[in-house]
Amino acid sequence: MMIERVIGNVRETVNLPRHIERVYLRSELLLKRIQRVRTDHGNELGIRLKNGVELRDGDILYQDEKNAIVISVLEDEVIAIKPTTLKQMGEIGHMLGNRHLPAQFTDEEMVVQYDYLVEKLLQELDVPYVCEKRKLAQAFKHIGHSHG
């Protein structure tokens, strides 16, 4: 079966069928437009999305009255950084920005992929953080940049 569009997302859909097959993906694969995947029931699918379309956790790839195929994102090792002051946030943001690390933000924290060098830096600067496994709704995106 070839999937060329996302039908919806389980967070926004009320009427899901009883039988749901899952496609488990690492978060970085959410950014791939074209890929071959296998459901937890062993069914193989091809995904070919239009440019600019990215997969998200809970996306519905297929649905009929009895079955649905849904994306489920696997947990990532992340560091959740929880600065206590604006100055601390600015300093750590600047240092991590120089490393071109992709980050995600909430009102309380900055989340980056786990890296032992980042953990060491946070310890040296005495910045509060937590290392944990977390299911990310979206993939980390690298922003192209050079120091040319």
Side-chain angles (χ1 to χ4, degrees):
M1 176 184 311
M2 181 59 69
I3 305 297
E4 295 185 333
R5 67 184 184 92
V6 173
I7 297 170
N9 193 287
V10 295
R11 288 172 188 78
E12 302 151 359
T13 304
V14 179
N15 297 324
L16 280 174
R18 284 187 147 222
H19 183 261
I20 297 176
E21 290 185 51
R22 303 260 177 205
V23 173
Y24 291 98
L25 295 177
R26 295 185 323 270
S27 64
E28 66 265 16
L29 293 176
L30 296 174
L31 299 175
K32 278 185 77 175
R33 258 184 3 92
I34 300 172
Q35 58 185 310
R36 186 175 241 65
V37 298
R38 189 173 299 276
T39 71
D40 60 348
H41 288 61
N43 295 315
E44 194 170 286
L45 306 173
I47 298 175
R48 183 176 52 218
L49 301 174
K50 294 179 182 176
N51 283 334
V53 176
E54 297 171 2
L55 293 170
R56 295 181 305 143
D57 183 55
D59 276 350
I60 303 166
L61 302 179
Y62 171 82
Q63 181 175 343
D64 63 21
E65 49 288 332
K66 295 181 182 178
N67 302 299
I69 300 174
V70 176
I71 295 289
S72 287
V73 179
L74 298 169
E75 291 181 332
D76 283 297
E77 292 275 345
V78 299
I79 300 175
I81 304 167
K82 303 176 182 196
T84 55
T85 66
L86 184 60
K87 181 179 186 290
Q88 197 176 56
M89 181 65 198
E91 288 175 346
I92 196 63
H94 177 72
M95 289 179 188
L96 295 180
N98 280 338
R99 297 172 187 225
H100 302 284
L101 287 178
Q104 296 180 10
F105 298 89
T106 68
D107 289 339
E108 295 86 30
E109 63 188 9
M110 173 182 187
V111 180
V112 297
Q113 290 175 312
Y114 179 81
D115 180 309
Y116 74 95
L117 293 173
V118 172
E119 184 176 20
K120 184 177 176 185
L121 175 65
L122 294 169
Q123 289 170 350
E124 290 171 1
L125 297 174
D126 198 30
V127 175
Y129 71 94
V130 176
C131 294
E132 62 188 5
K133 286 189 174 189
R134 189 180 286 187
K135 188 175 183 174
L136 301 172
Q138 296 181 333
F140 286 106
K141 293 181 188 176
H142 288 275
I143 298 172
H145 176 74
S146 67
H147 290 281

